[in-house]
């Protein structure tokens, strides 16, 4: 398998799943800052020009959560996707919650902070997005009472997706009111299979470009 990724992007989620599974893969860096995501060669893999992309034989798969689910099903004995239907449904539930309710406000913040051209940035929208994140983070904070992982007693696909978001939120100083989420993030990144922290990935990019 080949995983196309870059620094602090959502490719870290796919790396996390691959590492938890002990799967062999080749990491192929795609420097988005240098425009490598817009080359004809890469756009043939993902017309959206985004990362990550997993290539497994003839399969070309985009979208980080879809990649995590695919890997979980490819290696069913490792438990990233539980065999019990009701427990598996909870993994789907909380993964989609993370993608729709937690990730989207973080993306809104990033767009209006630095991704959009300066004349299109709306500082007020950043504050609205911060409020949206806090509202939904409070839901997950309550859910994590007495829990080590998001679903069940072992790491699942939901954790591979959500722990990365907690690190992202932490970079934005959004976890101060959520001690359970902060503790969850620390536990997850203490795991031997954990990927780089976002700050470390950024630091390496800056060092390479200096």
């Amino acid at each position: 398998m080949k995983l196309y990724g870059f620094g602090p992007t959502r490719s870290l989620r796919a790396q996390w799943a691959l590492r938890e599974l002990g799967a062999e893969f080749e990491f192929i860096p795609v420097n988005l800052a240098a425009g490598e995501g817009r080359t004809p060669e890469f756009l043939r893999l993902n017309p959206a020009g985004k990362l990550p992309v997993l290539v497994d034989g003839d399969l070309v798969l985009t979208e980080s959560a879809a990649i995590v689910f695919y890997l979980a099903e490819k290696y069913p004995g490792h438990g990233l996707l539980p065999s019990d239907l009701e427990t598996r449904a909870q993994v789907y539930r909380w993964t989609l919650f993370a993608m729709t309710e937690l990730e989207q406000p973080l993306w809104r913040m990033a767009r209006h902070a630095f991704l959009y051209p300066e004349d299109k940035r709306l500082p007020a929208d950043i504050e609205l997005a911060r409020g949206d994140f806090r509202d939904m983070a409070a839901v997950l904070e309550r859910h994590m009472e007495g829990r080590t992982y998001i679903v069940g007693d072992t790491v699942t696909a939901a954790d591979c997706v959500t722990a990365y978001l907690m690190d992202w939120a932490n970079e934005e100083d959004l976890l101060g009111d959520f001690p359970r989420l902060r503790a969850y993030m620390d536990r997850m990144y203490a795991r031997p299979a954990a990927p780089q922290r976002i700050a470390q990935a950024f630091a390496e990019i800056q060092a390479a470009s200096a």
Side-chain angles (χ1 to χ4, degrees), residues 5-6 39 48 54 60 105 110 127 178 189 199-200 202 207:
F6 178 62
T39 64
L54 182 75
V60 178
E127 290 308 309
F178 306 111
Y189 278 95
Q200 181 185 356
F202 268 124

Side-chain angles (χ1 to χ4, degrees), residues 15-207:
Q15 288 186 52
W16 202 323
L18 286 161
R19 289 162 61 94
E20 289 284 352
L21 295 165
E24 293 186 6
F25 68 101
E26 177 186 0
F27 183 78
I28 301 176
V30 178
N31 190 334
L32 296 180
E36 293 178 3
R38 307 307 302 176
T39 64
E41 293 79 13
F42 183 75
L43 290 173
R44 280 195 287 270
L45 290 175
N46 186 0
K50 296 183 178 183
L51 296 167
V53 178
L54 182 75
V55 177
D56 187 9
D58 293 331
L59 174 70
V60 178
L61 189 60
T62 65
E63 304 301 326
S64 60
I67 291 171
V68 171
F69 282 137
Y70 169 76
L71 293 168
E73 293 202 46
K74 183 179 174 73
Y75 299 92
H78 290 73
L80 286 189
L81 203 56
S83 57
D84 173 70
L85 177 60
E86 291 187 7
T87 308
R88 190 163 70 249
Q90 292 299 325
V91 172
Y92 292 142
R93 169 200 177 186
W94 286 106
T95 301
L96 293 173
F97 178 88
M99 299 292 290
T100 58
E101 304 293 355
L102 299 176
E103 181 165 301
Q104 290 310 306
L106 292 172
W107 265 117
R108 283 171 60 202
M109 292 168 58
R111 289 188 182 101
H112 289 286
F114 60 88
L115 292 176
Y116 284 153
E118 193 167 350
D119 62 335
K120 294 186 177 180
R121 299 174 191 171
L122 301 173
D125 206 56
I126 294 176
E127 290 308 309
L128 289 171
R130 292 177 73 88
D132 289 345
F133 178 88
R134 289 192 186 98
D135 288 345
M136 293 298 99
V139 175
L140 186 57
E141 172 80 2
R142 290 191 294 271
H143 172 73
M144 291 304 296
E145 182 177 3
R147 297 176 183 271
T148 301
Y149 306 105
I150 293 177
V151 178
D153 298 324
T154 60
V155 167
T156 67
D159 297 297
C160 295
V161 169
T162 308
Y164 165 79
L165 287 179
M166 295 301 98
D167 193 28
W168 186 354
N170 188 56
E171 289 295 311
E172 299 292 339
D173 295 321
L174 283 167
L175 294 187
D177 295 330
F178 306 111
R180 294 186 193 118
L181 296 186
R182 183 183 292 276
Y184 165 74
M185 176 190 69
D186 291 340
R187 285 195 303 273
M188 287 297 298
Y189 278 95
R191 294 180 63 80
Q196 285 182 307
R197 299 290 291 263
I198 291 172
Q200 181 185 356
F202 268 124
E204 290 186 2
I205 292 171
Q206 292 170 346

Side-chain angles (χ1 to χ4, degrees), residues 3-14:
L3 179 67
Y4 293 78
F6 178 62
T9 69
R10 290 171 288 186
S11 56
L12 290 172
R13 285 177 174 153

